[in-house]
Structure formats: structure tokens, C-alpha cells
Amino acid sequence: MSNGKMKAVHYDGPFKVSVREVDMPQIEHPDDVIIKVTTACICGSDLHMYQGRTAAEPGLIFGHENMGIVVETGPGVTLLQKGDRVVLPFNVADGRCRNCEEGRTAFCTGVNPGFAGGAYGYVAMGPYRGGQAQYLRVPYADFNALKLPPGRDHEADFALLADIFPTGWHGLELSGFKPGETVAVFGAGPVGLMAAYSAVLRGASRVYVVDRVPERLEAARKIGCTAVDFTVRDPVDQIIELNGGMVDRAVDAVGYQAVDSSGSKEKPNTALDSLIRVTRPTGGLGIPGLYVPTDPGAPDAQSKEGQLLIPFGKLFEKGLSLGTGQCNVKAYNRYLRDLIIAGKAKPSFVVSHEIGIDEAPVAYEKFDKRVEGYTKVLIHPNGW
């Protein structure tokens, strides 16, 4: 490809992004491909950088949920060819390290020295430019790219295979869920709704979804879940009353920016505390919600260092199991793709807006403020 320019979403500083002309990506390694991006999603974790809650510096190109069409291949690529439609796990993984060999691609040790795991367009996750841009370089492409049927069918559904659908599924998996069990999901953002949807797809007997945003609670109801508004009354008390006892499994899809019952004051440990209280003895907790090593915007000194006070004694007393960490997208995305193709899953019900790239700065502002129904935004950088 030529050394031309393209449009990309550029981080300028806290609460400010712009669309700028940047250099086109180039093949840098024989295993690379270049894709023309058809869809990139704005993720809740992009907001952590947007809000200045990370060490992200101006100049970062956002976008870790990406799909598109292969337009150029490196000489070492054998499984992909020009014209292939692909979706990319947000995890950048080399496929060669010990963790990748064991299927733990979120913790690849070969793509980001000094840090377990890599991602596109995310602070501390390696030198990989994001895909909220017209073109994107994909490293280790034979390993990372998942082929999709040609055309534009299921575009919004397939775009969610990059992160939130597998991450929601992963949260349920981490909890040790079995069909027929009861599940409580804390947080009805896109990942929380995907965790709840995964529980429905996998045969949960009852699913409770906790949030305070009316549109999100209504989305949970539409997929057959019981919505629980935590500003009305303690959500744990509500769930235990509705369920006739504690649930079998609970999922934290909130993370470190959890808030108290007023919905206005941050209380980073509140979701974890609720999970421990609401889950029956010997039940399981899945924690895909993002927690960070340091958080300069945290409400107290302890939380700023990534240290949270939780009722560990109660966790021990109840014999609860827990799993946490980023999603190994490749462990799930092929199978979730096939569920979509078969008509058994349609995760795009969470998508609220589809926009062109020039609208991205306004979309970030509205998504951050949770206004006008902004829940999951898809960017089409080259039009649609």
C-alpha cells in the first residue's frame, strides 16, 4: 500500500478526542496483514482512557474491537488472502508462547514485554495502533484473524465477536456455571448484557441483572431476565427475595468504577462485595469487569493503588470459587460466530448507534454521559 494518509480517532487528552489524518499502516513483519476497517466499536474500557483515568498519552489511536476486509498480506501469511472478511480478537497474541499454546491468549507473553497480554489501541497493552481508523495493521494475522462469511450479513453481530460477546460468555465460564443454575449479573452495560444473554443461551433457570439505567434494565427484560434497580433497595436483598434464596453464580461486569446506591459516588469494592453476599455457599463468581493496577482517579488512597477491601472472611466461610482476568477471545469466538450464522444468537440487540468516523467525538461525549440511549456504538470508518 502507498504511504498515504487515513482518518483515525485520536486521543487528545481527558474528555477530548478528534478525527485526524494519520499515516496509513504498513506491513512491518512477514506475518502481518492490513485490513480496510468496516466496523470498529466504542467500548466502555475506551472511556477509562477518554476520562483520563489511565496513563494514556495524547496521540494514541483508539479501537480494540475491529473487523474488516484484508487488503494486503505479508509474505509469511498462508491462511488469509486479499478480500477475506475477518474479525479480530481484541487480544493481540503471537500464538507461540506458553500461554497461547494453552489457549490463554489474553495473557500472551510475547507481544508486549513486561506485561501479560496485548491489545489494539489501549494504553500499556503494546505498540499496536487501534482500529477506530480506516485501515489497521494486524500482527500474527494467521493466528489472530477469524474468517467470516463474505458480504455484509450479520455485520453488527460479528463485530461484537472482537470483545463483548466472548467477554460476557467468559464471565459466565469463570463462574463455573452449569445449565439450570441461577445467575446474578451486576452491570447491564454491553458486557453485562452479554453475560446475561450467554446465561439465557446456555440454559440458566433464572437470570437477575443489576443496574440503574432504565434503557439497560429494559434491554435485560427483553432477553428474559429479571431487572434489578440498585437505587431502589439493596440489590442483594432484592435478588434473594425474588429468588427465594441466594443464587448459584454471580458475574461482576462493573469493575473498578462501581458506584454506591445513590448512583453518584464511586465505591470500587461494592460490586465484589455484592457478589460475595448474593452467591450461595460453594457457588462461583466470574469477574470479567475491569480492575486496574493503579487508578489515579479513585476516591481513596488505597483504591488509587488498585487495593480493594472486600469481605474475604465471608468468601472463605462460604467456600466460594472465583475466576477473573481478561477474556481469551479465541477460546470462544469461532463457536459464537457459528451460533450467529446458525441463527441461534443475535448479540447486536445491544447496539444503539451506528455512525461514520467523523461523528466519533460527539459519540464519545454522549456515551460517556450515558445520554440519548448511547450504549454500544459502532463506527464505520469507510462508510456503510
Side-chain angles (χ1 to χ4, degrees), residues 10 22 44 59-60 72 127 176 198 206 230 238 253 268 279 336 357:
H10 180 279
V22 301
L60 183 64
E72 185 178 2
S198 298
R206 296 191 190 96
F230 71 81
Q238 291 186 64
T279 307
L336 300 182
I357 194 167

Side-chain angles (χ1 to χ4, degrees), residues 6-11 18-23 61-62 129-135 357:
M6 66 170 184
K7 290 182 176 181
V9 177
H10 180 279
Y11 177 60
S18 60
V19 177
R20 298 198 184 188
E21 295 280 327
V22 301
D23 291 336
I61 304 302
F62 283 170
R129 195 155 68 174
Q132 291 174 17
Q134 291 179 300
Y135 293 87
I357 194 167

Side-chain angles (χ1 to χ4, degrees), residues 41-378:
C41 311
I42 300 178
C43 180
S45 54
D46 290 327
L47 292 182
H48 302 148
M49 296 182 291
Y50 174 77
Q51 295 164 350
R53 297 286 290 263
T54 71
E57 296 182 357
L60 183 64
I61 304 302
F62 283 170
H64 58 269
E65 300 179 60
N66 310 307
M67 66 180 292
I69 307 297
V70 176
V71 293
E72 185 178 2
T73 61
V77 174
T78 60
L79 302 179
L80 300 170
Q81 58 187 359
K82 187 175 179 178
D84 282 343
R85 183 191 189 198
V86 296
V87 64
L88 310 171
F90 77 86
N91 319 118
V92 176
D94 64 9
R96 303 165 187 177
C97 71
R98 177 175 178 175
N99 284 343
C100 283
E101 286 182 345
E102 295 179 352
R104 299 184 176 96
T105 53
F107 305 94
C108 176
T109 56
V111 294
N112 189 13
F115 196 98
Y120 302 95
Y122 205 87
V123 60
M125 297 296 282
Y128 307 103
R129 195 155 68 174
Q132 291 174 17
Q134 291 179 300
Y135 293 87
L136 177 70
R137 179 179 76 92
V138 181
Y140 307 102
D142 277 340
F143 182 71
N144 285 304
L146 177 69
K147 285 188 186 181
L148 301 169
R152 292 301 300 269
D153 288 349
H154 301 297
E155 182 79 10
D157 293 306
F158 288 148
L160 304 186
L161 293 173
D163 184 354
I164 67 165
F165 193 14
T167 295
W169 193 278
H170 181 62
L172 196 65
E173 191 74 14
L174 288 171
S175 76
F177 171 80
K178 299 173 184 176
E181 292 185 323
T182 53
V183 179
V185 177
F186 286 76
V191 168
L193 288 172
M194 288 296 97
Y197 188 46
S198 298
V200 172
L201 290 173
R202 295 175 65 176
S205 54
R206 296 191 190 96
V207 182
Y208 303 93
V209 180
V210 179
D211 207 286
R212 65 186 172 98
V213 179
E215 294 89 349
R216 292 178 168 186
L217 293 171
E218 182 57 29
R221 292 187 190 98
K222 286 182 177 178
I223 57 170
C225 302
T226 300
V228 176
D229 184 342
F230 71 81
T231 65
V232 173
R233 188 159 58 93
D234 184 299
V236 173
D237 291 344
Q238 291 186 64
I239 292 169
I240 290 174
E241 183 178 300
L242 290 164
N243 193 55
M246 290 178 276
V247 296
D248 299 301
R249 311 289 165 180
V251 176
D252 172 6
V254 181
Y256 72 107
Q257 288 183 297
V259 295
D260 64 11
S261 59
S262 71
S264 59
K265 182 180 178 182
E266 283 197 15
K267 189 178 179 184
N269 63 342
T270 191
L272 293 172
D273 179 80
S274 294
L275 259 67
I276 293 168
R277 291 168 54 217
V278 82
T279 307
R280 67 170 173 83
T282 73
L285 315 179
I287 309 170
L290 180 63
Y291 288 88
V292 293
T294 59
D295 174 17
D300 58 74
Q302 185 172 314
S303 301
K304 289 181 190 294
E305 298 302 317
Q307 299 173 356
L308 300 179
L309 184 65
I310 63 170
F312 195 87
K314 182 60 69 173
L315 180 83
F316 177 86
E317 176 204 317
K318 295 174 82 172
L320 299 175
S321 301
L322 66 84
T324 190
Q326 294 192 51
C327 175
N328 307 300
V329 172
K330 277 181 62 68
Y332 312 108
N333 66 349
R334 182 179 303 273
Y335 310 103
L336 300 182
R337 174 200 65 185
D338 292 347
L339 282 176
I340 292 167
I341 293 170
K344 301 292 180 66
K346 193 170 181 60
S348 60
F349 74 88
V350 301
V351 174
S352 61
H353 294 77
E354 299 189 53
I355 63 172
I357 194 167
D358 291 328
E359 300 168 76
V362 172
Y364 264 96
E365 181 181 358
K366 291 185 176 180
F367 182 35
D368 178 53
K369 294 178 178 177
R370 305 291 194 268
V371 298
E372 297 178 26
Y374 272 73
T375 54
K376 189 65 179 176
V377 181
L378 308 188

